[in-house]
């Protein structure tokens, strides 16, 4: 008799597709944070608590840039984001909020996917993903079209990375919206999205912003920076300084143009404030860093002077979480990820400049919650910082008000909910 041995095969990996758009860095960072959360939840080495190998075969998160699937590949996708600033910003603000354009895109998504990004639909057909998660509306709308064309039945999860939900998200075709605030959930319900398809998870951020030594530090008792970032602090036993961080750049300098103009106007006045330690991060813009340092030298600010602020200029930094956590106040433009990272580590925010579209929604939401100070111009920026210097208790109030917006473990919450959808 011929005996056939039973062959044991490992479960076939299933793709969790995470689509972002390389317009700025926030969408990508959020997608990568969710991918890391899946690795933590589904790996025994990561202390898996939810995923049962018998129920969930090997899951393979794959993060992709949706703009890479277009018929015409953008050589610099950040140029697209710059086209929504300046004189066209008010028009973009209307487009961002209005549902009319959204309805056209939702209903035409199969044709849009076929005409503009056939490679996207082919990728979906080849991978047959177990779920599709999108941190940008472009990927979500293409996923709707690809699902229709391929006939595949996968859950579509939309994760807006701001504190407002714009009209271009595919509301009628999304299985789960993961949003930052109850107000966003209310807005989606007004637009016809069922409450059972909405989860208030917060915005996903990198794991380093949830480290115990960073989260919710108590800065009210001392204005001296912590030891977590020795490059920021100058130990002065007899003269404590307020550490102020200004984020004036990241990967792409384009969106910071207006913010930098405001900072250039405010900096001479900020230099005169006493007991202030200012660190300015310029990102990957070496030209701007050199220009800023030259301006300081021209004003004779190469050294700290008695009774005046000390200023340090930095290029791109990898340990931004440590810089934020060791600061008493962070001045930023209202990007969704940057604001969320500050909230996670418990550092008060000062949002500077006029904002439109998603950044306008971020500023409005944080101001309404009492979680951030707002300065529209250089005069207000200097005034808010001077007031903060005189009354450190304002920082406590901002941190307390921000508690309802703080979701440092949003990425894991989103990953858990997606796994539940896959059951």
């Amino acid at each position: 008799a011929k005996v056939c041995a039973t062959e044991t095969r490992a479960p076939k990996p299933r793709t969790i597709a995470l689509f972002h758009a390389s317009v700025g860095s926030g969408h990508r960072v959020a997608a990568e944070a969710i991918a890391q959360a899946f690795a933590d939840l589904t790996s025994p080495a990561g202390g898996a608590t939810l995923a049962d190998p018998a129920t969930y075969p090997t899951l393979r998160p794959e993060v992709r840039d949706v703009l890479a699937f277009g018929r015409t590949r953008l050589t610099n996708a950040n140029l697209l984001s710059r086209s929504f600033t300046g004189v066209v910003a008010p028009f973009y603000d209307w487009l961002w909020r209005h549902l009319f354009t959204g309805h056209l895109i939702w209903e035409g998504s199969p044709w849009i996917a076929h005409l503009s990004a056939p490679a996207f639909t082919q990728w979906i057909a080849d991978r047959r993903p177990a779920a599709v998660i999108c941190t940008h509306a472009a990927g979500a709308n293409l996923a709707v079209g690809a699902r229709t064309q391929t006939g595949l039945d996968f859950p579509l999860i939309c994760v807006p990375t701001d504190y407002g939900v714009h009209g271009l998200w595919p509301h009628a075709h999304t299985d789960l919206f993961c949003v930052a605030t109850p107000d966003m959930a209310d807005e989606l319900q007004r637009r016809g999205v069922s409450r059972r398809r909405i989860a208030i998870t917060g915005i996903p951020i990198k794991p380093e912003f949830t480290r115990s030594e960073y989260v919710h530090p108590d800065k009210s008792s001392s204005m001296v920076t912590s030891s977590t970032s020795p490059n920021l602090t100058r130990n002065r036993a007899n003269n404590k300084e307020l550490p102020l961080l200004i984020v004036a750049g990241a990967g792409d300098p384009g969106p910071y143009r207006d913010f930098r103009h405001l900072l250039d106007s405010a900096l001479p006045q900020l230099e005169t404030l006493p007991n202030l330690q200012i660190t300015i991060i310029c990102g990957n813009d070496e030209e701007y860093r050199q220009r800023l340092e030259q301006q300081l030298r021209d004003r004779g600010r190469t050294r700290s002077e008695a009774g005046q602020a000390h200023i340090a200029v930095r290029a791109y930094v990898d340990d931004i979480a440590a810089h934020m956590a060791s600061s008493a106040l962070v001045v930023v433009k209202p990007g969704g990820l940057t604001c969320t990272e500050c909230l996670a580590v418990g550092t008060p925010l000062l949002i500077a400049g006029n904002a439109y579209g998603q950044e306008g929604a971020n500023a409005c939401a944080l101001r309404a919650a009492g979680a951030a100070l707002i300065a529209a111009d250089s005069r207000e920026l200097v005034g808010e910082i001077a007031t903060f210097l005189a009354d450190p208790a304002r920082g406590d109030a901002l941190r307390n008000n921000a508690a309802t917006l703080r979701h440092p473990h949003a990425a894991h919450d989103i990953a858990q909910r997606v796994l539940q959808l896959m059951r």
Side-chain angles (χ1 to χ4, degrees), residues 79-423:
L79 292 175
L80 185 62
S81 66
R82 299 179 199 179
S83 65
F84 299 124
T85 61
V87 295
V88 301
F91 172 74
Y92 170 65
D93 190 69
W94 177 88
L95 178 68
W96 189 88
R97 298 174 187 276
H98 211 282
L99 284 178
F100 173 73
T101 308
H103 279 290
L104 294 178
I105 293 176
W106 308 341
E107 301 308 322
S109 56
W111 287 104
I112 292 173
H114 175 69
L115 295 175
S116 65
F120 181 95
T121 302
Q122 187 60 53
W123 190 93
I124 292 291
D126 293 339
R127 289 294 198 281
R128 304 180 69 87
V132 172
I133 305 169
C134 298
T135 60
H136 191 278
N141 283 291
L142 287 179
V144 170
R147 188 166 59 180
T148 300
Q149 288 187 300
T150 62
L152 295 174
D153 184 21
F154 53 80
L156 172 61
I157 298 90
C158 294
V159 185
T161 57
D162 294 291
Y163 291 86
V165 54
H166 60 72
L168 302 183
W169 287 101
H171 299 74
H173 307 286
T174 298
D175 297 285
L176 180 66
F177 268 100
C178 296
V179 298
T181 68
D183 287 342
M184 294 175 68
D186 292 342
E187 179 61 28
L188 285 172
Q189 285 186 273
R190 287 193 292 270
R191 296 178 182 181
V193 180
S194 169
R195 185 64 182 83
R196 63 180 176 81
R197 295 195 288 121
I198 306 170
I200 302 171
T201 60
I203 296 173
I205 55 177
K206 292 181 179 179
E208 55 258 40
F209 291 93
T210 65
R211 290 172 57 181
S212 59
E213 64 264 39
Y214 296 160
V215 178
H216 311 169
D218 180 10
K219 304 185 184 73
S220 61
S221 60
S222 174
M223 288 297 108
V224 179
T225 56
S226 71
S227 61
T228 56
S229 185
N231 292 330
L232 280 178
T233 187
R234 298 182 310 130
N235 294 322
R236 289 190 171 190
N238 299 322
N239 186 19
K240 296 178 180 179
E241 294 181 329
L242 179 78
L244 174 71
L245 178 66
I246 301 177
V247 182
D252 175 39
Y256 286 87
R257 181 184 58 184
D258 294 339
F259 181 89
R260 289 175 176 179
H261 287 163
L262 185 152
L263 180 60
D264 289 343
S265 299
L267 204 52
Q269 286 74 42
L270 291 178
E271 293 172 3
T272 66
L273 297 179
N275 301 325
L276 190 62
Q277 178 181 315
I278 304 174
T279 299
I280 304 173
I281 295 179
C282 300
N284 288 325
D285 193 338
E286 180 63 17
E287 180 181 351
Y288 176 66
R289 185 187 67 80
Q290 293 179 0
R291 179 170 67 83
L292 198 57
E293 289 184 335
Q294 185 60 50
Q295 290 176 352
L296 294 174
R297 285 194 293 269
D298 291 344
R299 292 197 293 269
R301 294 309 315 278
T302 55
R303 295 178 178 273
S304 176
E305 300 177 16
Q308 293 189 340
H310 173 267
I311 302 175
V313 180
R314 300 287 304 277
Y316 184 88
V317 297
D318 293 321
D319 57 342
I320 187 65
H323 283 70
M324 287 181 174
S326 60
S327 298
L329 182 67
V330 180
V331 180
V332 296
K333 74 179 188 68
L337 264 291
T338 303
C339 291
T340 303
E341 290 162 354
C342 288
L343 293 174
V345 300
T347 303
L349 282 167
L350 198 167
I351 294 174
N354 293 315
Y356 298 91
Q358 70 275 9
E359 293 194 344
N362 295 337
C364 288
L366 293 173
R367 177 174 54 191
L373 304 175
I374 305 293
D377 54 36
S378 60
R379 180 185 60 82
E380 291 183 1
L381 176 63
V382 175
E384 289 288 356
I385 294 175
T387 303
F388 193 90
L389 274 168
D391 183 14
R394 296 189 74 190
D396 296 331
L398 291 170
R399 277 188 292 274
N400 291 335
N401 293 336
T404 58
L405 301 176
R406 189 179 293 123
H407 299 277
H409 303 291
H412 279 75
D413 189 4
I414 293 168
Q416 287 178 329
R417 292 174 184 275
V418 174
L419 288 173
Q420 291 168 353
L421 277 179
M422 292 166 51
R423 286 181 175 176

